[in-house]
Amino acid sequence: MSNTKVLPLLEPADGKAVAPCCPPLTERPFTAEEAETAARMFKALGDPVRLRLFSAVASHEGGEACVCDISDVGVSQPTVSHHLKKLKEAGLLTSERRGTWVYYRVEPSVLAAMGKLLAIAPAAT
Amino acid sequence: MSNTKVLPLLEPADGKAVAPCCPPLTERPFTAEEAETAARMFKALGDPVRLRLFSAVASHEGGEACVCDISDVGVSQPTVSHHLKKLKEAGLLTSERRGTWVYYRVEPSVLAAMGKLLAIAPAAT
DNA sequence: CATCTATGTTGACATACGTCGAACCAGTGG
DNA sequence: CCACTGGTTCGACGTATGTCAACATAGATG
C-alpha cells in the first residue's frame, strides 16, 4: 500500500489550522505546540465512553456505523451525541447523514498518525 | 524500589509477565471494562504538559531522564511533579531515586500495548 | 547537627468535563 | 400539514482536573 495518502493528525477542517503534527514520541522532546496538538487526540480517546464509541464504529461492518447501532454504551442518547461530536472535533470520526440515520466512520489517517507517534514497529507481534 | 507493580494497561497474567488488556480498537467493540482500562492511558497522555514530559523522558539519552532535565515545560515545579506522578500511576513511567536526583524512564511494554491497540498497519515511515 | 538542593505533598482555587432532561431540528410517512 | 422517529443542541449541575504557593521530605555536604 504505497498509494495511501497520509493526512495530518488533525485536519484543519473548520478554522483550526494544525501542523502535520508530530515526530515519534521517542525521537525528541515535543514542543509545546506539538504537545498541544497530539494531546487533543489522546484526550479525545481518554474517556471510556468515547473509546467504546470509537471502537464500535471502527469495528463495525463496512467501517461505518449508524448512531442507533452503537448508542448502547450505558449513557443517555444526548450524551452519546455529545461524545461523537467530540470525536469528530478531534478529527477521529466523520459523520454523514443518509436519510433518517446519521453514519459515523473512522478517519483512517489518524490511526496511522498515531502509530507513527508511538513509533510502533510494524508487525512486531 | 523494585517495580513489581502491574501496569494498568496490562492485565496480570498468572504465569506470564504481562498481557495486553484489550483487542485492537478495530477488532470488535470494547467492553466497558476494556474501555475503562485503555482510556486511563490515553487520558494520561491527553494533557500537553504530560505529553511533553513523557516525550522528554522517552527521547532522552539512555531512555531515562532526571526531573531536573525535563522540568522546563512552562509550569511550576510542583505541577511537574504532579504530572509525573500521574504518568507513573498510569503505568507509563517508572521512577527511581539515585542519590540526590530522581530518574524517570519509559515503560516500554506500554508503548507496545498501545501499538497493538491501534492495530497499526505497516507504517510507510 | 545545620543547611542547602532536589522532589514530592497539601490545600485551595478556577476551569473543564461528563452527564442528564428538555427543547429543538431533520426526514419519513400518513 | 401533522405526527412520529432518529439525532443534536441547550441549560444546568456535580465532579474531576490543572495550577500554584506553601510546606514537607530525602540526600548530600559541611
Side-chain angles (χ1 to χ4, degrees), chain B residues 3 7 53-54 56-67 70 84 87-88 91-98 102-111:
Chain B
N3 57 346
L7 308 168
L53 289 172
F54 183 81
V57 172
S59 64
H60 204 264
E61 153 194 22
E64 69 174 14
C66 162
V67 176
I70 60 175
L84 286 173
L87 287 168
K88 224 168 79 175
L92 295 167
L93 294 180
T94 60
S95 70
E96 181 195 356
R97 166 158 233 140
R98 286 209 296 276
V102 176
Y103 291 87
Y104 282 79
R105 60 171 51 241
V106 173
E107 187 56 53
S109 56
V110 175
L111 284 181

Side-chain angles (χ1 to χ4, degrees), chain B residues 20-65:
Chain B
C21 73
C22 310
L25 271 166
T26 56
E27 188 174 305
R28 59 166 173 77
F30 271 22
T31 67
E33 242 182 49
E34 290 166 346
E36 199 82 40
T37 302
R40 220 171 297 151
M41 186 208 44
F42 281 118
K43 196 179 200 174
L45 293 179
D47 179 272
V49 173
R50 280 197 293 270
L51 206 45
R52 290 185 73 185
L53 289 172
F54 183 81
S55 169
V57 172
S59 64
H60 204 264
E61 153 194 22
E64 69 174 14

